[in-house]
Amino acid sequence: MGIQSFELGKIFSDLYTVFLFTRSDIRIALIPVTLFAVAAAPLSSPLRLLDTILWIWLHLLQFNVANQIKAPEEDKINKPSRPIPAGRITVHDATILRWALVPICLAYSALYGVQLTSVSLSMLLFTAWYNEHDGDKEPLSKNLLTAIMYGCLEMGGTLVAARDHTQVSPTGLIATELTVAVFSSTLHAQDFKDANGDRQTGRRTFPIAYPVISRIAIGLAIPLWSIFLTLLWELDILSATAFVAYGCYVGTRFMLYRSVQDDKRSCKYYSTWFSLHHLFPAYWYYSHGANEHPSLAFVEYILNGSVVA
């Protein structure tokens, strides 16, 4: 009885260790990507939600394990509760887990067809580029690769959630492309709070390379994206006003409040802002149906108006 209790406790402990690899990304990745997949597919059945979450989480896990075995010394400073610096797993064992997850992700994706397997393979290749080939060392490649992988998660999650696993709707495709654009231009919001640890590991993030410009950039990008997204998805005036106002608040916080604790809180607000816009495809489907998709006609209208003026 005692041996069985010990083995059961060991299993739960190991599962919790695996969970810890992804805990910090639940708010910024797992939840918003799941919301996006449900909204953009749209979700074909309630049971498919579990499959969608599992696919997203598995691919998020393989990325995080690959990332965390690379610079455990950084996590000792920025995120000591992660499993490697906390002593719950060795770098050697985590490396075995990292490469074991590759065939697991591909095999699970293959159950849904060639298209999803291709997305999974793309995610795995970009993960290797980011981690094993130092794609995270420069601000431009770090932001671009992270945004592309985020798009892979959204594309894959949408394919799993949809009734048709072979294609993404035009609305879902536009939403995915927008996410890549928004994330690549604003994700350095997450780097301010980790600047001290990043300096020690030689990572050259945007806030480290350009401390003043990076805050101005995020302070402007979030409000401007807020306006653009509300116009593209044609939100009602109340929803649009609330979203733009919140975006202005978040952007202003990054420019005015600059301590580590302030940056951590601002990052949480940014995560909420980023998650909210993932619901806009569902708003579009509700207002316009599945047969229409957003267009950039309003941009042409504004530009034409500016030229005439």
Side-chain angles (χ1 to χ4, degrees):
M1 188 69 177
I3 295 177
Q4 291 179 342
S5 298
F6 173 78
E7 292 177 347
L8 188 61
K10 181 69 165 58
I11 291 173
F12 280 115
S13 178
D14 290 343
L15 290 175
Y16 184 64
T17 298
V18 172
F19 164 76
L20 287 177
F21 277 108
T22 59
R23 184 175 67 174
S24 61
D25 281 336
I26 289 177
R27 185 178 63 251
I28 192 61
L30 184 60
I31 292 176
V33 172
T34 301
L35 290 174
F36 176 91
V38 170
L43 187 67
S44 59
S45 73
L47 291 178
R48 193 58 56 77
L49 178 61
L50 296 177
D51 298 337
T52 303
I53 293 174
L54 179 58
W55 189 92
I56 295 169
W57 181 79
L58 276 175
H59 287 77
L60 186 63
L61 175 64
Q62 67 84 28
F63 170 82
N64 281 358
V65 175
N67 183 251
Q68 292 175 35
I69 61 177
K70 181 180 180 180
E73 64 277 8
E74 175 191 341
D75 286 340
K76 288 181 181 179
I77 300 171
N78 291 333
K79 301 178 178 75
S81 62
R82 283 181 168 178
I84 295 177
R88 298 185 65 92
I89 188 172
T90 64
V91 173
H92 177 266
D93 289 343
T95 302
I96 294 175
L97 175 63
R98 183 260 184 277
W99 292 110
L101 285 166
V102 171
I104 291 174
C105 289
L106 288 173
Y108 186 57
S109 300
L111 296 175
Y112 293 89
V114 176
Q115 287 77 9
L116 187 60
T117 305
S118 299
V119 174
S120 178
L121 180 60
S122 298
M123 178 70 185
L124 298 174
L125 291 175
F126 283 120
T127 295
W129 184 358
Y130 185 95
N131 293 296
E132 279 79 15
H133 297 281
D134 295 333
D136 64 331
K137 290 299 184 182
E138 293 297 326
L140 181 59
S141 62
K142 178 181 184 296
N143 284 17
L144 184 60
L145 286 172
T146 303
I148 291 174
M149 286 187 286
Y150 206 98
C152 288
L153 289 176
E154 293 190 336
M155 185 72 71
T158 302
L159 285 171
V160 176
R163 190 180 304 277
D164 182 358
H165 303 310
T166 65
Q167 62 181 350
V168 176
S169 69
T171 297
L173 188 59
I174 291 171
T176 302
E177 293 169 347
L178 272 174
T179 295
V180 173
V182 172
F183 203 40
S184 62
S185 58
T186 63
L187 69 85
H188 67 277
Q190 304 175 63
D191 294 330
F192 291 107
K193 59 182 175 56
D194 297 331
N196 292 333
D198 289 338
R199 286 192 188 93
Q200 295 197 17
T201 58
R203 182 177 291 168
R204 194 165 176 265
T205 60
F206 195 18
I208 291 176
Y210 308 99
V212 176
I213 294 176
S214 61
R215 289 194 180 271
I216 296 174
I218 198 69
L220 294 175
I222 293 177
L224 289 176
W225 272 120
S226 299
I227 296 171
F228 180 87
L229 291 169
T230 57
L231 292 174
L232 180 75
W233 294 109
E234 298 182 10
L235 300 190
D236 63 84
I237 187 65
L238 182 61
S239 300
T241 301
F243 185 70
V244 171
Y246 184 68
C248 292
Y249 169 71
V250 176
T252 302
R253 272 195 62 92
F254 278 107
M255 289 195 292
L256 297 182
Y257 303 104
R258 306 188 176 193
S259 71
V260 174
Q261 290 302 317
D262 287 331
D263 285 333
K264 287 181 178 180
R265 183 174 293 276
S266 295
C267 186
K268 291 180 179 179
Y269 293 146
Y270 166 78
S271 299
T272 301
W273 174 84
F274 190 69
S275 296
L276 285 173
H277 99 264
H278 283 69
L279 297 173
F280 293 170
Y283 181 95
W284 178 272
Y285 283 132
Y286 177 79
S287 302
H288 300 275
N291 295 325
E292 297 182 39
H293 59 81
S295 73
L296 295 176
F298 74 92
V299 177
E300 297 178 6
Y301 176 79
I302 293 174
L303 292 177
N304 290 335
S306 299
V307 171
V308 172

